[in-house]
Amino acid sequence: WPVTVPAGICSSEWIHVVDWYPTLCRLAWASLTQKLPVDGFDIWPVITQGAKTPHRSILLMGSRPGQRAIRSGEWKLLINPGEYKNEDATCRPVELYRLTDDLSETRNFADSQPKRVEKLLAELNSMTADAVLREEQFAIPVMGKTQTRTDDD
């Protein structure tokens, strides 16, 4: 859409992959009516008009059970699962990064910003309370039997 989206456009606003669903539905004139609430936002104004991100915070779930993060403004709080809590680990149980200055996440502020960690952790816990499926909801029917999904699946 060269007339609608200029070539070479760049934005520093942050979006999430879940935003594509409502955005593409809008562009296709499709309905977003469904049983569960839609996780994302229509980001077309961000792309075409330079609007601000519609997100106050973004929930990020890791590939391991218990690994989760929240992006809120310039900050990212990362919570690592229990297996990372040993002395040899390269990451720590709680990590806090200021992404505006450190996109590579090399400077962990968790120890020096405990109040920010507490605030972001409370928001993260609030967001995950209804968003994360319980383990029993991962039961997968296989050939007449029910198997629970494992980390290796």
Side-chain angles (χ1 to χ4, degrees):
W1 295 310
V3 175
T4 307
V5 182
I9 192 170
C10 183
S11 173
S12 61
E13 294 300 314
W14 36 284
I15 59 173
H16 193 279
V17 68
V18 298
D19 296 327
W20 287 112
Y21 175 69
T23 303
L24 294 174
C25 283
R26 175 183 176 258
L27 293 173
W29 297 88
S31 172
L32 287 173
T33 303
Q34 59 186 41
K35 279 184 175 181
L36 298 173
V38 175
D39 288 331
F41 293 99
D42 178 1
I43 55 170
W44 195 240
V46 176
I47 297 168
T48 60
Q49 302 164 21
K52 295 283 185 194
T53 182
H55 293 280
R56 189 184 82 198
S57 299
I58 291 180
L59 173 65
L60 306 164
M61 300 305 292
S63 59
R64 291 182 170 87
Q67 188 177 40
R68 55 203 176 111
I70 185 170
R71 164 83 190 259
S72 184
E74 63 185 353
W75 295 96
K76 177 182 173 184
L77 178 71
L78 176 63
I79 305 299
N80 288 304
E83 70 261 20
Y84 288 161
K85 293 182 182 178
N86 62 50
E87 294 177 26
D88 299 329
T90 56
C91 52
R92 299 187 51 212
V94 177
E95 299 175 31
L96 178 67
Y97 300 102
R98 186 175 178 191
L99 299 178
T100 50
D101 301 334
D102 184 21
L103 280 176
S104 299
E105 300 180 6
T106 59
R107 293 186 306 272
N108 184 356
F109 287 91
D111 292 336
S112 64
Q113 299 263 348
K115 288 188 180 194
R116 189 177 308 276
V117 167
E118 185 179 321
K119 178 183 175 214
L120 289 171
L121 184 57
E123 187 175 359
L124 176 60
N125 288 335
S126 174
M127 290 176 81
T128 58
D130 294 325
V132 179
L133 296 175
R134 295 183 310 272
E135 186 175 334
E136 63 268 16
Q137 290 177 297
F138 283 106
I140 304 167
V142 178
M143 297 180 69
K145 298 178 182 177
T146 299
Q147 296 180 345
T148 302
R149 182 180 159 195
T150 66
D151 292 344
D152 299 328
D153 292 340

